[in-house]
Amino acid sequence: MSMKFFPRLSKNYIEILEDDEYYDITIEVGKDPNVKIFRAHIIILCYRSPFLRRTLASNKKNNDILTHIKFPNISPENF
């Protein structure tokens, strides 16, 4: 595999993280007045976070489509 592939792939992942249009889940963290909503991609969350993978998998078993998660006990800075 060409070494030129990896820098381009990394650039594409950064573009995905900055994408405001093609996300499929929102994560709300914090309590009023310190609340922040993050837009994300379920597939990336599943592979990067075992905790979020379990959270998303448990919801999938219930045949629900999860598009929004709330974590009021986590500050936006820590998240």
Side-chain angles (χ1 to χ4, degrees), residues 17-44:
L17 293 173
E18 295 172 346
D19 189 305
D20 271 351
E21 187 176 353
Y22 296 109
Y23 60 91
D24 53 4
I25 188 168
T26 55
I27 303 171
E28 182 178 327
V29 295
K31 294 180 185 176
D32 283 331
N34 189 25
V35 174
K36 183 166 183 182
I37 296 177
F38 295 89
R39 295 177 179 131
H41 306 274
I42 291 173
I43 191 73
I44 293 174

Side-chain angles (χ1 to χ4, degrees), residues 1-75:
M1 190 175 293
S2 170
M3 293 302 290
K4 292 181 181 181
F5 172 77
F6 293 110
R8 185 170 177 200
L9 180 63
S10 295
K11 181 180 181 292
N12 292 144
Y13 279 127
I14 290 169
E15 291 168 350
I16 288 170
L17 293 173
E18 295 172 346
D19 189 305
D20 271 351
E21 187 176 353
Y22 296 109
Y23 60 91
D24 53 4
I25 188 168
T26 55
I27 303 171
E28 182 178 327
V29 295
K31 294 180 185 176
D32 283 331
N34 189 25
V35 174
K36 183 166 183 182
I37 296 177
F38 295 89
R39 295 177 179 131
H41 306 274
I42 291 173
I43 191 73
I44 293 174
L45 296 177
C46 285
Y47 281 92
R48 298 293 298 166
S49 169
F51 169 75
L52 289 173
R53 178 179 269 229
R54 287 189 305 273
T55 301
L56 295 166
S58 67
N59 195 65
K60 185 177 179 182
K61 291 176 188 173
N62 297 330
N63 293 324
D64 293 334
I65 297 173
L66 184 63
T67 57
H68 188 77
I69 301 175
K70 290 184 181 183
F71 295 119
N73 295 327
I74 302 173
S75 72

